[in-house]
Amino acid sequence: KQEVTQIPAALSVPEGENLVLNCSFTDSAIYNLQWFRQDPGKGLTSLLLIQSSQREQTSGRLNASLDKSSGRSTLYIAASQPGDSATYLCAVRKQTGANNLFFGTGTRLTVIP
Amino acid sequence: EAGVAQSPRYKIIEKRQSVAFWCNPISGHATLYWYQQILGQGPKLLIQFQNNGVVDDSQLPKDRFSAERLKGVDSTLKIQPAKLEDSAVYLCASSFYGGAVNEQFFGPGTRLTVL
């Protein structure tokens, strides 16, 4: 059974700092991995999607890496801003079968002005 | 393009009462998902529909939860009777079709509190 873990559970940083969020998964037979952002009272917004054959994806100040063999992914946020404050979730998609996403428990990020 | 719509946004009920949630997916999306997100946890898939057929309901507590998507568009998730542990955010998502390459788009969720 796929288990996804995110560390740390919560993180507070001063504005302008670079930071890294971690995600690990137990079954390396994944199709892709996706990072989401969740704001209070709102749904999930997709940030980056990395296919299993890729090593990283970049979007603006965000960079996500994937090491499928070791079951790890990181989300790097450069020059953090107060607007980045949210919960960040990673999710992996199985290689076969239904389009199920297995989510981690999330990292709650607070960027202090 | 309109996103995934859900209603109501918030619901408070007493235990043993019944409740229903509604979801309208993005137009043209054949696949619809219901997730349960308990506070402090990641979302967990309850049921996946492809058009009006069920693809996966292995984690749906069928003794109290039911879901339908009769015309292959809107969907309703029902809980009857509700328990305290059902307090959670219920997220609906849709994708163009159910293959692994298809990105899921999420609605704002319905926050259920069972007292």
Side-chain angles (χ1 to χ4, degrees):
Chain A
K1 178 185 174 184
Q2 179 71 270
E3 292 186 5
V4 183
T5 304
Q6 291 187 246
I7 295 173
L11 179 65
S12 291
V13 299
E15 181 178 0
E17 269 204 7
N18 303 324
L19 60 101
V20 174
L21 307 180
N22 297 291
C23 172
S24 61
F25 46 96
T26 54
D27 186 349
S28 61
I30 65 169
Y31 191 87
N32 55 39
L33 182 144
Q34 200 164 355
W35 282 93
F36 292 87
R37 169 184 173 141
Q38 186 172 32
D39 293 281
K42 297 189 178 181
L44 278 63
T45 302
S46 179
L47 298 173
L48 290 165
L49 186 151
I50 311 178
Q51 301 295 345
S52 61
S53 58
Q54 296 176 317
R55 298 285 290 184
E56 64 180 292
Q57 280 286 338
T58 298
S59 175
R61 296 182 293 108
L62 305 179
N63 176 277
S65 69
L66 174 63
D67 184 342
K68 199 174 92 164
S69 61
S70 67
R72 294 180 183 178
S73 175
T74 62
L75 179 66
Y76 175 84
I77 302 177
S80 59
Q81 302 171 359
D84 295 330
S85 297
T87 296
Y88 291 81
L89 295 156
C90 72
V92 298
R93 187 173 274 111
K94 296 187 301 182
Q95 275 188 341
T96 57
N99 186 14
N100 292 347
L101 289 174
F102 292 86
F103 283 87
T105 52
T107 295
R108 183 187 302 175
L109 172 66
T110 303
V111 180
I112 304 165
Chain B
E1 177 182 85
V4 176
Q6 291 187 247
S7 68
R9 294 295 312 279
Y10 305 92
K11 190 73 176 178
I12 300 174
I13 62 172
E14 301 279 337
K15 61 182 178 182
R16 291 187 290 272
Q17 285 187 325
S18 301
V19 65
F21 312 128
W22 174 82
C23 173
N24 181 243
I26 292 173
S27 177
H29 281 193
T31 309
L32 185 146
Y33 315 79
W34 283 102
Y35 289 86
Q36 180 193 57
Q37 185 177 22
I38 294 173
L39 186 65
Q41 299 182 18
K44 180 187 77 173
L45 180 72
L46 292 175
I47 189 167
Q48 176 183 344
F49 290 96
Q50 181 77 13
N51 296 309
N52 60 352
V54 175
V55 175
D56 184 350
D57 64 355
S58 58
Q59 299 195 85
L60 186 74
K62 298 180 184 65
D63 58 333
R64 297 183 300 106
F65 286 64
S66 64
E68 59 183 15
R69 194 185 184 200
L70 294 176
K71 297 182 179 180
V73 180
D74 294 3
S75 177
T76 302
L77 176 69
K78 296 180 182 177
I79 308 175
Q80 180 180 8
K83 293 185 176 181
L84 296 177
E85 57 261 37
D86 298 332
S87 294
V89 175
Y90 291 84
L91 295 164
C92 179
S94 70
S95 63
F96 186 64
Y97 76 97
V101 296
N102 272 260
E103 183 177 1
Q104 295 180 26
F105 296 86
F106 284 80
T110 295
R111 181 177 297 276
L112 173 67
T113 302
V114 182
L115 302 176

